[in-house]
Amino acid sequence: MENEKLFEITAYTENQVGLLSSIAGIFTRRSMNIEKLLVYPSRINGIHKFKITTRTTETLCRAAVQQIEKKVDVVKAFYEIDNERSDRERDIVIAFLEERERNNR
Amino acid sequence: MSEKAGKKITGAEILLESLIAQGVETIFGYPGGQIMPVYDKLYDYQDKLHHILVRHEQGAIHAAQGYARVKGKPAFVIVTSGPGATNVITGVADAMIDSTPVVVIAGQVSNAALGTDAFQETDLIGLTTPITKWAHQVRRPEDIAEAVARAAYIAGSGRPGPVVLDLTKDAQVGLAEYVEAKCSFIRSYVPVPEPSEESVEEAARMIDEARRPFVVFGQGITHSGAEAELAAFLDKGDIPAGSTLLGLSALKSDDPHYLGMVGMHGNLAPNAMTQECDLLIAVGMRFDDRVTGTVNTYAKQAKKIHIDIDASEINKNIKVDLGILGDAKEVLTRLTEKIRPRMRMGWKAASEYCRSIETEKVIDPEINPESGMIKPGEVIARIAESCDGKAIVVTDVGQNQMLAARYSRFSQGRSLLSSGGLGTMGFGLPAAIGAKTAAPDRQVCLFVGDGGLQMTIQELGTIMQEGTGVKIVLLNNNWLGNVRQWQQLFFGKRYSATRMINPDFEKIAQAYGLDIATVDDRKDLAPAIARMFADDKPFILNVHVEEEDNVFPMVPPGKSVNEIMLNSKEWFEYGK
Ligand SMILES: Cc1ncc(C[n+]2csc(CCOP(=O)(O)OP(=O)(O)O)c2C)c(N)n1
């Protein structure tokens, strides 16, 4: 059996009505408990940030993150084992958005 | 440029203009209070938009699913709020799990009434969020054109899926200028990931090193239009392949590398070879449990490569050694360039043994019985012979579905429509209507059980009104056959609630003005089939088949895919 740990999931999203319940639904479906939830404007202009803490296995956590990132209005989603967080995520998101804008031209 | 530009028109009219701008010709729908402004406008658009009036909204969405799967582009449904909207939910869930591009446009109460439990108000966005690719409410007429363009783009791009647009009364009756909208970019959404060069190279190396590679492909091939690329890849590597239910017809039935269908009622050879290969290459499929049997033992001996457009599928059900994200057509093209041409005679010969056992023990008794009642598989095989692989085969759910999948033959893509992931009884009849509407020049042949037909039988009314020339083959066994089979095999023959007392289908056909032939005797089967195909009109072929026939082979639930029942007494356990 795989061990349960505390994970912190971060999702960078467009600010879309209904996204909160849509993301919450992913946790409900696999009966994963949300221990902590924060939604706030990120430091990237126009992009919101979800921080979700959950206690689960890494396999389930990875699956949930992939399901979150699959949502049309989610830019990127990550997970870290709590306390091991890095600041790289924001840079990844900025680079992704810049590349997308370039592609759109 | 539309002549409507610059003028203020109603949201209802903007909606219809937006649909036309998307290239929509056909809509499946049903009117009601909260969508009346749209239906009123439709009156003026009858020459541009063909509206097919179904008899129940579930019929509208399944018809749209059939239409979309034949056309390979999003199909549109219009329904009213409340019950109209909830009636499409089964189809929305079906489209989600089977990756079908449909857009549902539902009426909704006025902006001010939202949240007040107004007459026919339901929280459609809340209800459909978990079963859509995108669900979105539009409250202002000026947002409609953009929303429709976005809906079509999301539904049809990448891994396709259903979209719901909830259109409030205010959005429909309000005035705005119509500005044509296009959508081919959403910055947060990457429908088609670019396959990484390293992963393709690594895959080519793994394939070259493999002695016993085996391909399992799914509907991703169809979505990607990669039928020719798949065949070329298999040919160069001399690799045998099996199809999932929804992958059927992506490879011609007589392709020399094709071994048949995998999974619970699949063919022996591809199931056995799944457990014998040293490299499993999965393309555009999602390792459904009906395909894998028990996951703990599934292809355990093999290295695995999974090629899919959806990142969340990689490592979801089956852990793989290499995931390649991307469109199947592109990945297969690049892989085919890189792999070495090979001959793998010895490996492919393994399938011959399985095939001969299956022919003797299962196929022959089912499709060429010498006496007794007509077998359902026999009906399908005779029809397959007379259509020569050219028909679009639509199935309902149950024994009819598995037998149609097993005994139909395909010579071109997009020729099998079935509710795979959800297993929705009642899917078949309306899906066949949609398919025939999308491809009026092709023969569309539905195989359906007496249970499933009665779940959406009211759509015979749609056929009557539209004259849709579908051929309905009723495999009539007076049972909920599939469930009865499970009761026989796994519940000690306790036939609880599976016996069906059926109506007189001749009288039903008569009431709808449809031609019907009822067949009990083997000698009458061929003439009845000939009569069915003699003209372009709708036809019901009601065949009284052996009532307690079972579908075999069968990988029983909880077993590995090489532990297969050949009949209720004999097992085939390859490599054990
Ligand atoms: C909407 C729905 N309800 C119930 C089921 C469960 N179910 C699966 S197959 C089946 C029996 C189908 O009987 P019939 O339509 O007569 O087809 P047959 O198996 O006899 O070919 C049932 C009840 C289902 N798949 N879908």
Side-chain angles (χ1 to χ4, degrees), chain B residues 397-400 423-425 449-452 455 477 479-483:
Chain B
V397 166
Q399 294 182 317
N400 60 85
T424 306
M425 280 173 73
D450 39 313
M455 278 215 176
N477 56 14
W479 289 99
L480 296 173
N482 201 79
V483 177

Side-chain angles (χ1 to χ4, degrees), chain B residues 257-458:
Chain B
H257 301 96
Y258 182 56
L259 300 184
M261 184 170 76
V262 296
M264 181 174 273
H265 292 294
N267 294 101
L268 294 186
N271 278 332
M273 286 167 92
T274 301
Q275 302 301 84
E276 289 289 310
C277 62
D278 61 355
L279 177 67
L280 184 86
I281 307 152
V283 197
M285 55 82 82
R286 60 184 179 83
F287 294 111
D288 182 89
D289 52 88
R290 285 293 191 266
V291 162
T292 61
T294 179
V295 288
N296 307 325
T297 52
Y298 181 77
K300 223 179 161 173
Q301 78 293 342
K303 288 225 166 88
K304 299 179 196 74
I305 299 172
H306 190 181
I307 302 166
D308 205 279
I309 203 162
D310 178 355
S312 74
E313 288 299 341
I314 313 273
N315 289 318
K316 184 185 78 177
N317 293 346
I318 296 289
K319 293 265 172 299
V320 295
D321 300 273
L322 176 67
I324 307 182
L325 270 182
D327 183 71
K329 185 169 183 153
E330 167 157 23
V331 175
L332 287 173
T333 304
R334 279 162 64 175
L335 262 181
T336 306
E337 275 167 25
K338 289 197 163 59
I339 59 170
R340 282 202 306 265
R342 284 284 287 269
M343 299 284 270
R344 302 181 202 265
M345 302 304 279
W347 168 226
K348 282 196 337 199
S351 68
E352 290 307 321
Y353 169 69
C354 299
R355 206 193 306 254
S356 66
I357 300 271
E358 185 172 346
T359 303
E360 180 199 330
K361 297 281 186 188
V362 182
I363 299 176
D364 258 352
E366 180 66 33
I367 70 174
N368 297 316
E370 270 150 28
S371 56
M373 293 281 291
I374 300 178
K375 296 264 198 178
E378 178 182 2
V379 180
I380 294 159
R382 292 301 89 79
I383 288 174
E385 285 155 15
S386 94
C387 292
D388 199 21
K390 295 196 190 80
I392 295 174
V393 174
V394 185
T395 83
D396 203 71
V397 166
Q399 294 182 317
N400 60 85
Q401 173 184 39
M402 291 298 121
L403 292 167
R406 287 180 52 78
Y407 298 118
S408 293
R409 290 289 164 265
F410 305 103
S411 62
Q412 56 178 303
R414 297 193 179 277
S415 297
L416 178 96
L417 306 186
S418 191
S419 168
L422 206 63
T424 306
M425 280 173 73
F427 171 87
L429 182 61
I433 295 173
K436 185 69 186 176
T437 308
D441 297 336
R442 289 188 66 187
Q443 198 66 264
V444 173
C445 201
L446 166 69
F447 294 101
V448 60
D450 39 313
L453 180 61
Q454 291 180 77
M455 278 215 176
T456 45
I457 196 165
Q458 69 282 352

